[in-house]
Amino acid sequence: MATQLVTTAVELREASARLLAQKAGRSQGLVPTMGALHEGHARLARTAVEQNDVVVASIFVNPLQFGDAVDLDRYPRTLDADLALLEEQGVDLVFAPPVEEVYPGGEPLVRVTAGSLGEKWEGASRPGHFDGALTVVAKLLHYCIPGSGLPPAGAFASGGGGLPAYRAYFGQKDAQQLALVRRMVADLNFPVEIVAVPTVRSADGLALSSRNRFLSAEEREAALVLSRALRLLAERATAHQPLDLESARAMVESQSLVGLDYFDVVDPLTLEPLAENCRKVPFRGEGLALIAAKVGPVRLIDNVPLSS
């Protein structure tokens, strides 16, 4: 079945309800994106298709999470290529609304606030970013609740007469966003399961990102120091060695084209720095190494789970 493109919430709800009824669907998945899709997004979509009867992908460049109007204008829009990639993965519906559909009265007066968890790391470098991201994710999660369109929910084959299962898929590369979405869903009782999908990397280790296309060949080569430094920490953690974060940080800072913003090891849930960061104590337990840097004009983030 060809992927169907819809641009309004009403179309989305009606189309997803029809598909659930036609397929006797027991589950619906959502893959939220900002477009400019790559293999990382393809893996999100494939995972959703494997786990659900109906899958919706959204494509929306959210102005609320851009602090710089130039950055917003520069963000790549590649709708035709994105639709082709999603169709190849078996996605049923693509929701690509205009800004006026998502924010009909202009910028919303009421937003989701990321709180203290959103004020550190990326939030410290990009004030307000996570408030904007969570606001649009909340709207998308509501738009795609299965059974919110026609026909009525009772028409679906959901096993127990209720609504189909509902899952949303996020990449682990955006670790802080993932943690915040999970916290929002838990704190505000959203009826959705959040599924994390591992980071997809190129053969040389660079985490895939829509922003990588803006790197020159020299800058791309320099950017590899980010994944090398993360991999070094992961290897030390697995070997029960001291992480020696200072030496890994020095490796990154030695690359002249890379401007380091932050590089730290944190608790995976709270994102608070871990005591194991110290140089002489062997790493124990679980952690998450976070890094962000500007490579030339391009800001990149990456992370890797640590486990001893």
Side-chain angles (χ1 to χ4, degrees):
M1 182 184 296
T3 300
Q4 181 181 349
L5 173 66
V6 295
T7 59
T8 71
V10 170
E11 292 173 337
L12 170 64
R13 287 166 177 152
E14 293 180 349
S16 66
R18 275 196 306 273
L19 283 168
L20 282 165
Q22 290 168 7
K23 295 184 175 185
R26 297 174 181 270
S27 58
Q28 181 162 296
L30 168 65
V31 181
T33 83
M34 291 208 303
L37 305 184
H38 49 65
E39 176 55 30
H41 299 101
R43 180 175 293 182
L44 287 173
R46 287 196 300 272
T47 303
V49 168
E50 291 167 0
Q51 297 180 1
N52 299 278
D53 298 312
V54 173
V55 173
V56 179
S58 65
I59 298 175
F60 180 66
V61 182
N62 178 32
L64 297 190
Q65 62 196 78
F66 288 84
D68 184 347
V70 173
D71 197 24
L72 172 61
D73 291 340
R74 187 171 179 244
Y75 193 87
R77 276 80 166 174
T78 57
L79 182 59
D80 289 343
D82 294 345
L83 291 173
L85 180 146
L86 293 170
E87 187 164 40
E88 288 176 2
Q89 315 315 313
V91 169
D92 299 287
L93 289 170
V94 173
F95 179 46
V99 173
E100 296 77 17
E101 173 70 15
V102 180
Y103 305 121
E107 289 196 6
L109 298 179
V110 176
R111 307 186 187 193
V112 177
T113 300
S116 60
L117 190 58
E119 294 173 355
K120 58 190 73 173
W121 312 122
E122 283 301 286
S125 299
R126 305 170 68 186
H129 167 73
F130 286 119
D131 290 358
L134 290 181
T135 297
V136 79
V137 168
K139 291 176 75 75
L140 291 169
L141 290 175
H142 282 308
Y143 288 147
C144 293
I145 293 174
S148 60
L150 298 174
F156 303 137
S158 54
L163 295 178
Y166 182 28
R167 306 178 183 96
Y169 295 77
F170 292 83
Q172 289 181 346
K173 186 180 79 69
D174 296 304
Q176 189 171 4
Q177 175 178 274
L178 173 61
L180 281 162
V181 169
R182 282 177 161 159
R183 191 72 258 170
M184 177 182 72
V185 164
D187 288 348
L188 301 183
N189 301 105
F190 279 65
V192 62
E193 176 189 354
I194 301 302
V195 180
V197 178
T199 301
V200 178
R201 299 180 181 278
S202 59
D204 56 14
L206 186 67
L208 298 190
S209 168
S210 301
R211 298 177 184 271
N212 289 354
R213 69 188 68 198
F214 297 126
L215 296 168
S216 68
E218 184 180 17
E219 290 163 349
R220 194 186 186 290
E221 181 65 27
L224 297 179
V225 74
L226 305 183
S227 57
R228 284 202 300 269
L230 290 171
R231 188 165 61 249
L232 177 61
L233 292 189
E235 290 169 354
R236 289 172 176 172
T238 301
H240 309 293
Q241 298 174 352
L243 295 184
D244 192 3
L245 184 59
E246 293 88 347
S247 68
R249 186 179 286 124
M251 182 171 74
V252 177
E253 292 175 334
S254 70
Q255 175 51 255
S256 61
L257 293 179
V258 176
L260 186 62
D261 182 355
Y262 59 79
F263 186 14
D264 217 324
V265 176
V266 302
D267 181 278
L269 297 179
T270 67
L271 303 185
E272 289 294 328
L274 291 175
E276 289 91 339
N277 290 5
C278 55
R279 188 154 38 103
K280 298 180 180 179
V281 178
F283 181 81
R284 291 289 185 270
E286 305 290 328
L288 185 68
L290 300 174
I291 194 167
K294 288 195 79 171
V295 183
V298 182
R299 193 169 191 280
L300 299 177
I301 62 172
D302 200 354
N303 68 85
V304 67
L306 304 180
S307 180
S308 62

